[in-house]
Amino acid sequence: MFSAAPHRRTPFLVAASAAVALLSGCSGDGAQPAGANAEPAVSAIPTIAEATTLRFPLDAFEATDEQNRTLARAQGILTSRCMARFGFSYQAPQNSSPQQPRGGSRRFGVTDLKTASQYGYRNPRTAGSEPPRDTGRGTLSKTAEIALLGEPGLKPEDLPASQQEAERQGGSATEVNDKRIPFGGCTRESFLQLYAPKPGTVDLLYVFNLRNQADSEYRGDSRVRAVDRRWSDCMAESGYRARDPHNAAEELGLTDARSGPEAISAAKADVACKHRVNLVGVHYAVLSAYEQRAVERNAETLKLAKDQLDERLRLAASLTG
C-alpha cells in the first residue's frame, strides 16, 4: 500500500505571466458560475512541456516516497522488537524500490519525448524486471509465523483499530512462549503503533481517495475535454485514432506491445501533440483546481491527517535515526 530507468528532468516551461491561480473569484477559462458542482475557476493556464516535476495541492498531506521508506524501516524495527518479546530474532525485509518523483510523470500519460523514443508507452519505472521481494517468512518456524502474523482465521473486524484498544484488550487468546500474542501478531502491532496509536486516526486512504475523486471529476471538465479533442485531432493528422490521452495505448491496440517500434512511433506522436496543444498545462491547472477545492472542503480532516503524519514521522525518525 505504501512505494526505472533514469530520464531527463527537463524543467517545465512556464510563460512569464502564467501562474495557476486556485483561489475563488476568477472566472477563468470557461469556468461555470460558482456553486457546489461548478467547474472550479482557473485564472491562467501555464505552458508545460513535461509532467515530471509537478506538485499538486494534496501532496502536502501525504508522505513522500522517501518518507514512506523511513516509515517502512520504522515499522520493521517495531516488528523486530515485538518478535524479540516472544524469543525470536527477526529482521523485517528492506524495501529496495527506487525512489519515484512526486507528481508522477505518467499522471497525464506519456509526456517526455526522450522517454517515449526509448520506451514507447511502457512506464520506465517498471521497465526493469525486479526480483520478487523477500518477505522474510521463508525461514520462520510455524510458531514464529504465528507470532508474526497472528492466529489464522481472524477477520478484519475482529482486529483492534488502534494500539490503545489493542493494549486494553490485552492480546489474543493464543500464546507463544507463555505470552499472549497481539491480535494480528507483531505485524499488526507494529502497524498500529506507527499508524494508529490512538482512536480517531484518519484513515490512511483518506487523502488517496480525495485524490482519486478529484482525478475523476477533472476528466469531465469542459476545459479538459476541449484540449483532449484538440489532442485527438492532432493525433488523427498523424494517422492515429485516439480520444483519451490517459488511455492512448489501449485505444491504439498497443496494450501488449507498449515498447515495440509501433508503440514508440505512436508515443512520439502522442508527446508531440501534447506539446502542440499544451495538454499538460491545461490538465495540470484544472486538476490542481479540483484538488484545491478538495483541500478547502476537507480542511479540518486534512489538518488532522497532516498532524498525525508529522507525529508518525517524528516517531519513525526516533527509531531509525
Side-chain angles (χ1 to χ4, degrees):
M1 179 173 66
F2 303 100
S3 198
H7 56 272
R8 178 171 51 90
R9 296 175 64 87
T10 305
F12 48 79
L13 309 174
V14 182
S17 62
V20 182
L22 301 171
L23 302 177
S24 59
C26 300
S27 59
D29 179 18
Q32 298 175 1
N37 297 315
E39 295 180 352
V42 175
S43 67
I45 302 295
T47 300
I48 302 177
E50 297 177 14
T52 55
T53 57
L54 303 180
R55 286 191 59 83
F56 295 86
L58 285 170
D59 288 351
F61 304 95
E62 286 188 313
T64 65
D65 291 319
E66 186 56 39
Q67 287 171 339
N68 275 326
R69 294 174 197 280
T70 300
L71 291 169
R73 290 194 297 270
Q75 186 176 354
I77 292 170
L78 292 171
T79 303
S80 298
R81 290 180 179 179
C82 175
M83 291 291 284
R85 296 205 313 266
F86 297 94
F88 301 108
S89 177
Y90 174 80
Q91 184 172 357
Q94 298 299 310
N95 185 354
S96 59
S97 301
Q99 185 173 357
Q100 299 178 357
R102 294 293 292 176
S105 61
R106 291 301 174 105
R107 196 164 188 184
F108 307 130
V110 59
T111 62
D112 174 20
L113 184 58
K114 183 177 179 180
T115 301
S117 300
Q118 184 175 357
Y119 296 100
Y121 281 106
R122 189 174 184 184
N123 192 330
R125 296 176 183 173
T126 61
S129 55
E130 187 177 345
R133 178 180 160 188
D134 178 21
T135 63
R137 291 172 53 188
T139 58
L140 292 180
S141 67
K142 184 63 177 178
T143 304
E145 188 167 316
I146 291 175
L148 179 65
L149 301 177
E151 58 183 299
L154 285 179
K155 300 177 181 178
E157 55 267 27
D158 297 327
L159 300 174
S162 70
Q163 181 60 18
Q164 281 188 3
E165 181 184 346
E167 292 173 356
R168 186 169 60 252
Q169 292 178 3
S172 166
T174 300
E175 292 188 352
V176 169
N177 293 336
D178 299 323
K179 295 180 181 179
R180 295 171 65 181
I181 64 170
F183 284 102
C186 288
T187 300
R188 179 69 178 178
E189 179 181 278
S190 64
F191 173 84
L192 294 179
Q193 287 175 333
L194 192 59
Y195 293 101
K198 298 178 290 187
T201 302
V202 178
D203 192 301
L204 287 177
L205 293 178
Y206 183 78
V207 179
F208 175 82
N209 290 334
L210 287 180
R211 191 186 298 279
N212 278 355
Q213 181 180 353
D215 189 81
S216 176
E217 291 173 345
Y218 109 97
R219 293 194 188 200
D221 187 278
S222 62
R223 295 157 291 189
V224 169
R225 293 199 308 269
V227 77
D228 286 356
R229 287 193 295 270
R230 294 195 295 271
W231 170 85
S232 181
D233 291 341
C234 177
M235 288 289 283
E237 293 176 11
S238 299
Y240 299 103
R241 298 181 62 85
R243 297 171 59 87
D244 184 354
H246 294 95
N247 298 304
E250 289 77 4
E251 291 186 358
L252 295 172
L254 299 170
T255 304
D256 297 326
R258 290 177 174 267
S259 57
E262 185 178 354
I264 288 175
S265 296
K268 289 166 65 177
D270 184 341
V271 171
C273 286
K274 285 189 173 84
H275 291 181
R276 177 174 162 183
V277 304
N278 191 30
L279 183 140
V280 176
V282 175
H283 278 234
Y284 172 64
V286 176
L287 176 54
S288 294
Y290 279 92
E291 284 204 9
Q292 181 63 25
R293 185 164 72 180
V295 169
E296 293 167 357
R297 289 178 173 178
N298 301 276
E300 184 176 346
T301 305
L302 284 172
K303 182 183 183 305
L304 184 59
K306 183 63 168 63
D307 290 344
Q308 291 171 356
L309 172 60
D310 291 342
E311 292 176 7
R312 198 172 298 139
L313 291 170
R314 284 193 290 270
L315 173 58
S318 71
L319 293 169
T320 61

